Amino acid sequence: MVYKEEEHHRHTGFNIILFLIVISCQVVVFIQLFEIKERLNKLETARYEEDIYNDLIALPSENNSLEVVHSRHERSVNDTLQEARGVIGVRGILGSPGPRGADGRDGRDGMPGMPGLPGLQGPRGTKGEQGPPSPKGNPGQNGSRGVKGDRGITGVPGTDCTLNDTSSISLLFQTLLRVNDQSPNSPTSQPIIENIANALNGGGTMYTRWGRTTCPTLETGAQLVYDGIIASGYFSHVGGGGNYLCLPNNPEWGNHQDGIQSKAYIYGAEYELTAGNSPFSTDNAEVLHDQDATCAVCYVPSRNVKMMLPARRTCPENWTREYHGYIVSSHYQHQRSEYICVDEAPEARPGSYVNTEGVRLNPVEAQCGSLPCLPYVDGRELTCVTCTI
């Protein structure tokens, strides 16, 4: 294909050159003919003037007129021109067309044009609508542990204290109350203070029986102080209280202003027991899931110390078992809360089978890793028991 194109270019170039040569020859011939004609004209003019002069001299006087001389001279000039020009020949036949010349080569690329002037800035677009809020992200990781603080100054040595020294007992009790005021949200400060105060006062202790409205009076001699509803902070809120309270069924109000002002709230608790995830007995409630959880505050006058023992169903030797059950807490992806021991056969507030959310009580399962397995079992619900002595 390339060879044919080159051959075509060569034929085309040859034809062009031949055409230019023919045109050049015709132009040269035409110029030479034009020059010959001019020379003949000059020659004829000169001869014409000379002949007229001679004729005027040679003619007799009666025939010596300009019109006669001019007429004679004109015939002579015509005869002379005819002889000079000769007879016009017959036109020759046309020659055969020559071969087609080769196609010419492609021309070179032109020089790139100058860059155009920058366009005018377009009008500013309209402001878009605000997008929908993004979903709430997962809670962040716990921060690193802070640097240990400096040790405080050494206190003044105290005096000896005995249970019979009423002034020392009063001072110790006031100190404990001040500690409790400084950290009221601690889940362990209030039980410790109650136990020590009861021991100093000569006997008795109190505990909360989570999930029931009665105390084991016949079994342990515990007395019901009041019953109520389990309450705490909303399961997904990041602020507010994290400990559980047993709110009484008959609250008393002080100074108040109805409406939402304080930005701190408390909600009732519901059992969060989906299918296959309920270790509790249904002796006291046929259905527990999404029902409101109850509680009872009990007083034991004959024993001074209490404890909740996790992962056990029995108490140590010489201790009295008040009740046993299963440990519950908030969901691992929700706001942290304390662990409490709910009775193995919990009750539900009558007529509360409505999912109103609030506080969610989830059974706690063991997770192997830093928790050794065995003796613990991965995914098994933990038991608990409340004991007094």
Side-chain angles (χ1 to χ4, degrees):
M1 184 66 182
V2 176
Y3 174 78
K4 291 183 179 181
E5 290 181 356
E6 291 179 354
E7 184 68 23
H8 179 70
H9 292 333
R10 286 195 296 270
H11 283 297
T12 302
F14 177 78
N15 290 337
I16 293 173
I17 295 172
L18 183 60
F19 175 78
L20 294 176
I21 293 173
V22 172
I23 294 298
S24 299
C25 292
Q26 290 179 353
V27 171
V28 172
V29 171
F30 176 80
I31 293 173
Q32 290 179 353
L33 289 176
F34 181 78
E35 291 177 353
I36 292 172
K37 183 179 178 181
E38 289 294 320
R39 291 178 181 178
L40 289 174
N41 289 335
K42 291 180 180 180
L43 180 60
E44 289 172 358
T45 303
R47 291 181 59 187
Y48 177 75
E49 294 175 351
E50 183 179 358
D51 290 341
I52 290 175
Y53 177 77
N54 293 329
D55 289 341
L56 288 175
I57 297 174
L59 285 177
S61 58
E62 65 274 4
N63 293 329
N64 192 7
S65 64
L66 184 60
E67 287 81 5
V68 175
V69 175
H70 180 73
S71 175
R72 184 184 301 173
H73 180 70
E74 184 176 8
R75 287 193 303 270
S76 177
V77 170
N78 289 334
D79 294 339
T80 304
L81 289 175
Q82 185 67 34
E83 292 174 359
R85 292 174 181 173
V87 181
I88 299 174
V90 182
R91 183 177 183 182
I93 61 174
L94 296 174
S96 60
R100 182 179 178 180
D103 293 338
R105 296 183 180 179
D106 294 339
R108 296 183 179 179
D109 295 338
M111 296 293 290
M114 296 294 292
L117 297 176
L120 299 176
Q121 184 176 0
R124 184 174 183 181
T126 58
K127 184 178 181 181
E129 297 181 357
Q130 184 175 0
S134 58
K136 185 177 181 180
N138 296 326
Q141 297 181 353
N142 294 333
S144 58
R145 187 172 183 178
V147 181
K148 184 177 180 180
D150 298 333
R151 182 175 180 178
I153 59 175
T154 304
V156 179
T159 57
D160 293 337
C161 175
T162 63
L163 293 179
N164 294 327
D165 187 354
T166 56
S167 60
S168 298
I169 293 175
S170 176
L171 179 61
L172 175 61
F173 189 68
Q174 292 176 4
T175 302
L176 291 173
L177 290 178
R178 285 197 301 272
V179 172
N180 183 62
D181 291 339
Q182 294 175 0
S183 56
N185 294 328
S186 173
T188 58
S189 61
Q190 188 64 33
I192 293 175
I193 292 176
E194 291 176 354
N195 290 334
I196 296 177
N198 290 331
L200 294 176
N201 290 331
T205 187
M206 295 176 62
Y207 65 87
T208 301
R209 190 181 190 186
W210 304 106
R212 296 295 296 271
T213 59
T214 61
C215 297
T217 303
L218 298 179
E219 295 85 351
T220 67
Q223 302 174 6
L224 177 65
V225 180
Y226 71 92
D227 67 295
I229 305 167
I230 300 177
S232 186
Y234 197 81
F235 74 93
S236 63
H237 289 178
V238 297
N243 60 316
Y244 294 101
L245 298 178
C246 185
L247 293 183
N249 294 318
N250 53 344
E252 296 177 350
W253 307 102
N255 295 331
H256 64 276
Q257 182 177 357
D258 293 338
I260 306 300
Q261 294 92 25
S262 66
K263 306 301 182 182
Y265 314 105
I266 193 167
Y267 300 83
E270 294 180 342
Y271 299 109
E272 194 70 17
L273 305 172
T274 56
N277 187 36
S278 178
F280 295 101
S281 169
T282 57
D283 292 345
N284 296 316
E286 183 177 354
V287 178
L288 289 172
H289 180 61
D290 284 341
Q291 299 246 38
D292 295 348
T294 60
C295 56
V297 176
C298 306
Y299 171 66
V300 183
S302 59
R303 292 176 290 279
N304 301 326
V305 181
K306 67 173 182 182
M307 72 170 174
M308 188 275 282
L309 185 58
R312 296 286 296 180
R313 291 171 56 86
T314 59
C315 296
E317 187 178 0
N318 298 326
W319 288 70
T320 300
R321 187 175 76 173
E322 299 293 334
Y323 75 95
H324 67 281
Y326 296 91
I327 297 178
V328 301
S329 184
S330 60
H331 192 274
Y332 77 96
Q333 289 182 330
H334 296 160
Q335 174 67 9
R336 292 181 183 273
S337 69
E338 62 180 330
Y339 296 104
I340 59 175
C341 182
V342 172
D343 193 274
E344 68 168 350
E347 302 174 44
R349 187 171 65 86
S352 63
Y353 186 61
V354 178
N355 184 16
T356 57
E357 299 296 356
V359 184
R360 294 180 176 181
L361 300 179
N362 299 270
V364 176
E365 299 176 347
Q367 288 289 300
C368 294
S370 55
L371 186 67
C373 295
L374 299 168
Y376 290 92
V377 179
D378 194 52
R380 182 173 294 180
E381 290 75 15
L382 289 180
T383 59
C384 56
V385 60
T386 297
C387 306
T388 58
I389 189 172

